[in-house]
């Protein structure tokens, strides 16, 4: 199966979850996240605003902010095929952007100058289509996270993919930048 075929199959499978199932499984993932040492040590969290059938992050992102951590969410620049992360203090900071996804306003970017922290103090959470047990992943095909991580990855100590267990496959063709861990509703 090609990467493109696997992406299509796994996204279709993920789309088959009911809203209730997705919400319950997302809560399990959030519970796991909040107990991890990497999360506890992080001072900055680069997350995402869930869209369509992704692991739901709206409530998770609120709890991240309430825990006193600095939350940054991505803004997509489709014309340049890039994304940048901006600090979010509340849901009021979000406006519809690329594909209708709620995105932060361009106020406080996550930049090299901002990062005076040790990389282990920075945690990135990302969505995706499929993953394997080695941390290989398939994104959505645009390369946005890979381009961002190529530039800023050295400042990010931990990269976690949030996914549903049903998105696990035996092996993903290497290509996308790997994650340190995949958090699912089961592990």
């Amino acid at each position: 199966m090609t990467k493109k075929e696997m992406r299509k199959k796994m996204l279709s499978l993920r789309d088959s979850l009911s809203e209730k199932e997705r919400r319950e499984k997302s809560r399990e993932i959030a519970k796991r996240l909040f107990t991890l040492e990497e999360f506890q040590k992080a001072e900055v969290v680069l997350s995402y605003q869930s869209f369509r059938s992704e692991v739901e992050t709206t409530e998770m992102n609120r709890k991240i902010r309430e825990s006193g951590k600095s939350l940054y969410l991505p803004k997509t620049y489709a014309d340049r095929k890039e994304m940048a992360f901006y600090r979010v203090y509340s849901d009021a900071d979000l406006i519809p952007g690329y594909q209708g996804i709620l995105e932060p306003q361009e106020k406080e970017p996550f930049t090299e100058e901002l990062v005076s922290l040790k990389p282990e103090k920075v945690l990135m959470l990302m969505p995706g289509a499929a993953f394997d047990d080695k941390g290989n992943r398939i994104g959505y095909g645009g390369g946005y996270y890979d381009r961002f991580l190529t530039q800023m990855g050295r400042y990010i100590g931990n990269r976690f993919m949030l996914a549903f267990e049903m998105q696990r496959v035996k092996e993903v063709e290497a290509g996308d930048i790997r994650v340190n861990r995949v958090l699912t509703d089961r592990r």
Side-chain angles (χ1 to χ4, degrees), residues 12-172:
S12 176
L13 188 61
R14 190 181 76 184
D15 289 345
S16 72
L17 283 172
S18 71
E19 190 175 324
K20 181 182 178 190
E21 289 172 310
R22 190 168 40 256
R23 190 171 35 251
E24 289 171 358
K25 290 175 184 293
S26 295
R27 283 188 189 125
E28 283 301 312
I29 293 166
K31 281 183 201 173
R32 283 177 169 63
L33 171 66
F34 296 142
T35 64
L36 293 175
E37 183 178 352
E38 296 94 335
F39 176 79
Q40 298 295 326
K41 287 183 176 180
E43 293 177 17
V44 171
V45 179
L46 284 71
S47 185
Y48 65 95
Q49 187 63 37
S50 51
F51 183 63
R52 294 190 181 135
S53 63
E54 292 174 340
V55 171
E56 294 179 11
T57 59
T58 302
E59 187 60 35
M60 184 185 307
N61 289 338
R62 276 191 205 115
K63 288 183 179 176
I64 290 168
R65 288 192 314 263
E66 289 168 2
S67 74
K69 299 178 189 308
S70 299
L71 175 69
Y72 289 78
L73 297 179
K75 178 168 180 57
T76 302
Y77 300 94
D79 57 331
R80 306 189 307 246
K81 292 238 180 234
E82 293 177 355
M83 70 180 187
F85 284 76
Y86 295 91
R87 184 138 185 213
V88 174
Y89 290 93
S90 75
D91 291 345
D93 293 337
L94 302 173
I95 55 174
Y98 178 68
Q99 294 188 359
I101 300 169
L102 291 176
E103 295 182 333
Q105 298 175 46
E106 300 175 74
K107 291 184 179 174
E108 288 182 48
F110 179 81
T111 63
E112 295 169 12
E113 294 80 29
L114 173 76
V115 183
S116 59
L117 300 169
K118 294 179 180 174
E120 61 270 12
K121 300 286 186 182
V122 183
L123 169 65
M124 175 179 259
L125 307 175
M126 63 178 79
F131 67 92
D132 67 20
D133 289 332
K134 296 176 188 165
N136 295 308
R137 66 182 180 85
I138 295 178
Y140 298 131
Y144 289 93
Y145 278 91
D146 289 330
R147 276 189 288 284
F148 180 81
L149 287 168
T150 297
Q151 283 186 312
M152 301 294 286
R154 65 186 172 274
Y155 304 108
I156 301 166
N158 291 291
R159 297 178 306 275
F160 292 177
M161 179 176 165
L162 305 183
F164 302 114
E165 190 66 29
M166 64 176 23
Q167 294 174 254
R168 177 194 309 273
V169 295
K170 184 177 178 183
E171 186 174 20
V172 168

